[in-house]
Amino acid sequence: MSPAPDMNRALLRRVQEGDPVALGHLYDRYASTVYGVGFRLTRSEDDAEDITHTVFIGLPLALRSYAARGSFEGWLRRVAVTTGLKVLRSRRRECGLTDAILASVRSRARGDRQIIAGLTIDEALARLPDGLRVAFVLKEVEGYSHREIAEMLDITPGASMTRVCRARTRLQKWLGDGA
Amino acid sequence: MRWSPFHPGSRRLSRYVDGDVTGRGRVRILHHLGRCHRCRTHVQELRRIGQRAREARVPPPPDGLFERIKAALLAGERSILPPVPPDPATQAPSNRAISGRLTIIGAALVPVLMVAALVVFATGPLEAHRPTLKLAPGTPRAGNPLAVSFVGGSVLGGGDRLTLRAKIFDNRGDWNVATAPLRRSRVRRGYGGEIILRPGTTYAVFAVEDSVGERVETSAGHPWEVVIRDGQGRPSLEGLGQQVARHLTTRLDLALEAAHAMTEHHPGSAEGWSTLYAVERILAGPEGADELAERHRHHFARLEREFEVRRPTPGDLAAMALYARSVGDPASRERWTARLLRDAPHERLAVQMRIQELQKASSGDASHLLSEYERLWMELGPGTDLAVTGLALASGLDDGAAAVRWAERVMAVDPSTRPSVALRLARVPEALEVAMALIRRELRDIETAESRNVRLPGVDVHAARLDVERTRTRLLAALGEALIEEGRPRAGADTLRLAAAPTWDPALFRQAAGALLSLGDTLEALPLLARVAVDPVTGAEERSELDALAARHLSTDEWQAEMAEARSRMRRQILASATRRRLPSEIPVTDRAGRSHDLRSLLHGEVAVVSLWYCFCAQFESLVERHRGVVEMLVAAGVPSYTILVVDPDADAPAGIEGPGPGPPLLFDGEGAALRAFGYAHTPAYFVVDAAAQVRFAYPTTDEILTRVEVLRQSEGLRAVPSP
């Protein structure tokens, strides 16, 4: 494995070998990044903690397939995003089909009947349905293209654009004059 | 282009904010935003929402999380992370274009034309994680420090220190390059630093690089930019004007955006309206000119009324004179021209008008014209346009004394012109001595060129070094010729050989070899001639002549050895100047029928040439003829090439650009994907792309294209370019 320019080769090898001290160094540097990605996607501190836990537990194995092109942080962010999406999908499956439909109907109802304005950005992002929030965060915050978002979410690029547009429309309404 | 107003829907505006509307579509939206407050406000709100989302609070990881992770690992917990989607910039295309590969063999090909320009690409950030540069305050003022925070993309991101490189423009139209350190932040992601913007700063562009300048990061190939606020908190007029000038020939959409901002924030400025007209005029083309002029007449009339009440500045006078030429009636044109010449004679436009008047009045008497220039210089004092014009005329007249005098004036106004002035003087026999002294001084100074810190944002040390070496070669070559002219042929020949050593330039090899042959030094000339012989552009006839010359002095084996060494040198030297810029995994373009093609798929697998035409240049039509000649050369050599026009498929392509006979259709880059991928278009801009669809050479000249293709093919083990 050839190292990314920004990450010490020896440190990554030690993490791969299961050295907890080396993993600790990586954690110190990147935990807030990974946690931040997870929190933005899920708006849940519990889920963000799960995502961070999963990523760092899985890092020693995942580093074997790390191609070391570009920055390590960029790669790690992508790992956090895909892990976060997996957590979101499993959360929806746990609800069960009926529960998922009910949750979807409720969230649509909330959105459609929303006449409240002047929310904070945190509140507004939390109110967005998962599907819209994820697309919006991946586009606006993480900087992915619609094509990449479509691949990650298994939708079309057009659907990605629609979701981001709808997220913006709702956020604009909820944020009110504070937008 | 029709100028009827339309309101883009919210979805289209959302895509516009995402940067997914480009080309003419983007220009249409920009033009609409310039006139529609409602849509403009909506776009601003969408952008603010994004900004707030990016700045939204993110709690830190909970205390004790790592201890729990460690405990879980010790307890044997393992997790298999989901596969990470590959980096789009390195992904090989999986699908061919729907219509199959557009290979151009034995047919009149899309033309390719040579434009020399120097642009260095950043390695290209991952689409997935763009680098961000934030400035605080977001509305900076001159004379104050500017806090900078940077989060790297795929190019930069490690280490504790980076460097911010800035090109800073001021209100006199000058610029300088400044750097500032960026240090890794202890409290937040990324790096932070500060740069001072001196009083008078109007506009600045930025890039970030590592501590040695080898890796450079920009915003998708373009430096970040900021227009400084004036005393009233508005983006400064001069800064916006500099932004227009910077984007005018490559990103007309950004130029239009800046021109709109000039009129929005400075509605009483003639310069703003005149600039907006100029940019819109390029877009309108001949068919939209009348309607555009009609729309602008009322702005012109309003400004005329305002200037009856308030005194126009010299800049206003120049702008009104220019505006009047375009949209005013003959009386107002005359009125504003007279007023400019009387009240602001030192304004650049006024000087240019005086020069034009003198040229008209001279009736072809060049000596008289030169003396009129002298009189004008005495009257007006230093100015770039007059100095350059005087130097050109004096050189043309072979008036050594006058040429030296005007050369000194040019260099006094702008010291950075010294190399080009030296090269020009070297062509004037009576100014040879002065030219040689200037060249020698430049050659000494050039060693410290990099230490002068004039490397521009976005240019890495590799590209800067290449630029310095190219300048050194040109200066040495000029010095060599000057020494021969001076009657020192041995010194001249040796200097030419020195100039030829680090470069691959067959014309220079011939020049140096010719000088050596004149001295009877054939054995010394033969290695240079071997290089000419192996260059793919050298014709069969010349090659035979060189073989015959070599046979008189060398055995067959010796000559073959010289040519093998020359080929090896060619590969080394040309590859040393190569870049390696990955293209995005998809570059959607369309053909005339509107069918989509993926340019990246077309390029993969063979060394090819791409030409990117930016169709808003006034000279577009006249350049097509040159282009056709280049295409025919490429066809004969079996080199696939692709011509892309950065317009919608329904735009009018200039007659003849598709060439006679069968060949690939023209491709159209209506959404700007190819322009974004390659980073630059001109009339046209050429790129040599390797078999892995990486840009290896940008803007080669006509003579350089085939050589670069050959070198890439050799290095990739592909077939050689057939000899012409």
Side-chain angles (χ1 to χ4, degrees):
Chain A
M1 176 187 78
S2 50
D6 61 328
M7 185 50 57
N8 182 278
R9 180 206 305 243
L11 179 66
L12 289 179
R13 188 166 44 240
R14 282 165 50 206
V15 170
Q16 207 178 321
E17 289 164 0
D19 180 350
V21 173
L23 186 65
H25 286 313
L26 270 194
Y27 182 90
D28 288 341
R29 194 180 246 196
Y30 294 111
S32 55
T33 298
V34 172
Y35 188 88
V37 168
F39 180 79
R40 287 194 182 97
L41 285 175
T42 62
R43 300 308 296 186
S44 158
E45 296 193 41
D46 287 340
D47 284 342
E49 181 175 336
D50 277 345
I51 290 164
T52 309
H53 180 105
T54 305
V55 166
F56 280 92
I57 292 280
L59 257 188
L61 197 59
L63 280 171
R64 288 183 202 175
S65 59
Y66 169 51
R69 286 197 208 110
S71 85
F72 177 76
E73 181 172 337
W75 176 83
L76 192 59
R77 292 184 77 92
R78 294 173 79 85
V79 170
V81 163
T82 51
T83 307
L85 293 177
K86 189 179 173 189
V87 165
L88 280 170
R89 278 193 283 267
S90 64
R91 194 215 279 164
R92 281 202 289 273
R93 275 199 296 276
E94 282 163 14
C95 285
L97 188 60
T98 307
D99 287 346
I101 292 172
L102 281 174
S104 171
V105 167
R106 282 189 200 116
S107 80
R108 270 204 303 278
R110 271 203 306 274
D112 290 344
R113 284 193 234 132
Q114 179 55 259
I115 56 171
I116 297 168
L119 297 184
T120 66
I121 186 65
D122 291 329
E123 290 165 343
L125 285 168
R127 288 184 83 87
L128 279 175
D130 284 352
L132 299 193
R133 184 181 57 253
V134 165
F136 176 79
V137 166
L138 291 178
K139 184 64 187 161
E140 276 286 11
V141 181
E142 296 301 317
Y144 288 91
S145 70
H146 285 297
R147 194 191 65 79
E148 291 169 294
I149 295 169
E151 276 178 20
M152 281 192 258
L153 302 184
D154 198 23
I155 58 177
T156 64
S160 171
M161 290 175 200
T162 300
R163 289 187 188 191
V164 171
C165 178
R166 283 167 59 196
R168 283 178 172 140
T169 303
R170 293 188 192 195
L171 288 171
Q172 191 178 14
K173 197 160 45 170
W174 295 336
L175 293 170
D177 289 340
Chain B
M1 189 172 178
R2 304 183 74 80
W3 294 94
S4 56
F6 74 107
H7 289 289
S10 58
R11 188 159 185 253
R12 192 147 175 86
L13 286 178
S14 179
R15 285 186 57 213
Y16 165 76
V17 166
D18 288 340
D20 290 330
V21 181
T22 52
R24 286 172 82 96
R26 180 179 165 89
V27 170
R28 262 188 229 116
I29 289 179
L30 276 169
H31 188 258
H32 175 76
L33 292 178
R35 299 178 306 158
C36 177
H37 178 73
R38 187 187 83 184
C39 291
R40 203 163 56 240
T41 305
H42 182 69
V43 164
Q44 287 167 357
E45 282 175 6
L46 293 185
R47 287 206 168 114
R48 258 198 296 274
I49 288 170
Q51 182 75 16
R52 287 181 68 180
R54 283 186 291 277
E55 293 170 356
R57 178 194 74 89
V58 173
D63 293 335
L65 176 55
F66 184 65
E67 279 68 35
R68 293 194 285 283
I69 291 170
K70 230 173 25 176
L73 279 168
L74 280 173
E77 184 178 331
R78 295 291 179 266
S79 77
I80 297 179
L81 298 176
V84 177
D87 174 355
T90 60
Q91 194 177 9
S94 56
N95 299 311
R96 291 288 177 196
I98 295 167
S99 61
R101 180 129 181 209
L102 294 180
T103 309
I104 295 85
I105 297 175
L109 236 193
V110 282
V112 194
L113 207 136
M114 301 303 135
V115 171
L118 178 66
V119 168
V120 171
F121 297 108
T123 322
L126 276 173
E127 285 179 328
H129 188 63
R130 289 195 293 260
T132 57
L133 189 83
K134 286 185 189 160
L135 306 171
T139 54
R141 297 194 187 219
N144 291 336
L146 191 62
V148 178
S149 60
F150 171 76
V151 175
S154 64
V155 176
L156 298 173
D160 290 325
R161 278 195 183 217
L162 296 174
T163 300
L164 178 77
R165 183 168 289 271
K167 182 176 180 182
I168 300 175
F169 296 78
D170 67 24
N171 51 12
R172 292 166 307 168
D174 296 328
W175 57 267
N176 70 291
V177 173
T179 59
L182 298 177
R183 292 189 175 81
R184 183 180 280 281
S185 172
R186 290 180 206 279
V187 298
R188 62 170 72 90
R189 207 158 48 98
Y191 299 79
E194 189 179 89
I195 190 162
I196 308 283
L197 299 176
R198 292 195 298 225
T201 301
T202 50
Y203 173 57
V205 297
F206 304 97
V208 179
E209 56 192 44
D210 62 16
S211 55
V212 292
E214 283 180 359
R215 290 180 295 142
V216 175
E217 194 131 49
T218 54
S219 176
H222 299 282
W224 290 277
E225 54 183 355
V226 70
V227 177
I228 307 303
R229 300 283 155 155
D230 63 15
Q232 282 93 39
R234 304 170 295 184
S236 73
L237 182 69
E238 298 89 349
L240 289 170
Q242 285 153 351
Q243 194 175 31
V244 171
R246 187 166 157 260
H247 291 304
L248 195 61
T249 56
T250 54
R251 289 296 303 273
L252 202 61
D253 54 338
L254 298 178
L256 182 64
E257 196 169 331
H260 271 300
M262 287 175 88
T263 58
E264 183 183 327
H265 295 285
H266 304 271
S269 156
E271 189 185 336
W273 290 103
S274 168
T275 302
L276 179 61
Y277 173 82
V279 177
E280 289 185 330
R281 178 69 182 83
I282 297 171
L283 279 166
E287 65 276 5
D290 289 342
E291 189 190 339
L292 178 66
E294 187 55 43
R295 278 198 305 110
H296 271 265
R297 269 182 203 114
H298 89 269
H299 294 302
F300 178 74
R302 175 180 57 79
L303 286 166
E304 281 203 300
R305 287 193 299 274
E306 285 182 20
F307 289 132
E308 283 168 10
V309 176
R310 67 179 165 96
R311 193 185 172 83
T313 64
D316 288 325
L317 287 171
M320 286 300 284
L322 204 53
Y323 209 10
R325 276 182 173 189
S326 309
V327 307
D329 55 40
S332 62
R333 274 178 233 151
E334 208 176 304
R335 190 167 59 246
W336 283 103
T337 300
R339 207 168 160 185
L340 170 67
L341 293 174
R342 185 192 69 222
D343 297 341
H346 294 92
E347 274 295 306
R348 193 170 180 191
L349 181 63
V351 174
Q352 288 170 349
M353 284 176 172
R354 296 281 299 274
I355 292 172
Q356 280 170 4
E357 272 175 19
L358 290 175
Q359 287 168 346
K360 268 190 221 154
S362 72
S363 310
D365 184 344
S367 297
H368 173 72
L369 182 57
L370 192 61
S371 60
E372 288 295 298
Y373 286 166
E374 286 284 349
R375 195 180 52 73
L376 193 61
W377 182 267
M378 293 303 150
E379 178 191 332
L380 295 178
T384 306
D385 290 319
L386 183 54
V388 167
T389 307
L391 174 59
L393 185 57
S395 308
L397 286 170
D398 276 344
D399 185 337
V404 169
R405 192 166 57 248
W406 284 102
E408 284 166 357
R409 288 166 178 167
V410 173
M411 291 186 291
V413 170
D414 184 358
S416 72
T417 59
R418 254 183 12 214
S420 56
V421 166
L423 291 172
R424 182 177 271 274
L425 276 185
R427 296 200 286 268
V428 182
E430 290 184 26
L432 212 51
E433 204 174 310
V434 172
M436 286 166 61
L438 272 176
I439 289 172
R440 288 193 179 99
R441 182 179 161 190
E442 267 311 297
L443 285 167
R444 279 196 308 272
D445 288 352
I446 213 167
E447 297 300 327
T448 59
E450 284 175 78
S451 69
R452 287 186 217 148
N453 211 26
V454 293
R455 186 162 51 85
L456 297 177
V459 176
D460 63 34
V461 288
H462 174 69
R465 206 166 292 133
L466 284 176
D467 192 40
V468 166
E469 282 169 11
R470 272 192 282 264
T471 304
R472 183 190 290 114
T473 296
R474 283 202 302 270
L475 290 168
L476 279 172
L479 182 61
E481 284 297 329
L483 285 165
I484 293 172
E485 286 283 321
E486 208 192 29
R488 295 164 63 186
R490 170 52 64 182
D494 288 343
T495 304
L496 284 171
R497 189 164 39 182
L498 193 62
T503 188
W504 189 266
D505 182 349
L508 186 52
F509 299 154
R510 288 187 187 93
Q511 203 178 349
L516 289 163
L517 288 171
S518 302
L519 292 167
D521 212 341
T522 311
L523 281 177
E524 289 294 322
L526 282 172
L528 289 162
L529 293 173
R531 294 175 213 174
V532 175
V534 306
D535 190 277
V537 179
T538 301
E541 197 180 322
E542 186 180 5
R543 205 168 281 127
S544 298
E545 287 170 9
L546 293 173
D547 288 341
L549 175 64
R552 293 205 287 273
H553 298 272
L554 299 176
S555 70
T556 306
D557 285 346
E558 285 168 337
W559 180 232
Q560 291 301 322
E562 285 288 355
M563 290 209 291
E565 161 58 25
R567 273 189 207 95
S568 168
R569 174 186 282 267
M570 179 175 75
R571 256 194 311 274
R572 257 192 339 266
Q573 285 177 334
I574 287 175
L575 286 177
S577 67
T579 57
R580 192 183 289 271
R581 183 171 191 254
R582 292 193 289 267
L583 293 170
S585 58
E586 265 184 29
I587 307 174
V589 291
T590 49
D591 59 25
R592 177 68 86 193
R595 287 185 298 255
S596 291
H597 303 276
D598 176 17
L599 182 64
R600 171 70 189 258
S601 298
L602 299 177
L603 293 172
H604 192 79
E606 195 164 0
V607 177
V609 174
V610 173
S611 69
L612 219 59
W613 286 77
Y614 200 60
C615 298
F616 300 113
C617 171
Q619 293 179 314
F620 187 85
E621 306 261 354
S622 65
L623 292 168
V624 169
E625 196 52 46
R626 269 170 61 188
H627 186 61
R628 286 162 59 90
V630 176
V631 170
E632 284 163 15
M633 176 189 73
L634 286 173
V635 169
V639 179
S641 79
Y642 305 90
T643 288
I644 299 141
L645 307 188
V646 185
V647 282
D648 289 334
D650 58 358
D652 292 329
I657 197 168
E658 297 188 59
L666 278 180
L667 298 172
F668 295 85
D669 185 30
E671 293 301 313
L675 177 61
R676 281 201 307 283
F678 286 89
Y680 190 67
H682 203 62
T683 47
Y686 293 91
F687 303 89
V688 181
V689 178
D690 66 16
Q694 300 178 110
V695 176
R696 303 302 302 279
F697 300 101
Y699 330 114
T701 65
T702 310
D703 290 337
E704 290 173 347
I705 280 190
L706 273 183
T707 314
R708 274 125 187 89
V709 169
E710 167 68 7
V711 163
L712 285 181
R713 281 176 162 175
Q714 283 178 18
S715 70
E716 293 175 9
L718 300 171
R719 69 173 189 278
V721 170
S723 309

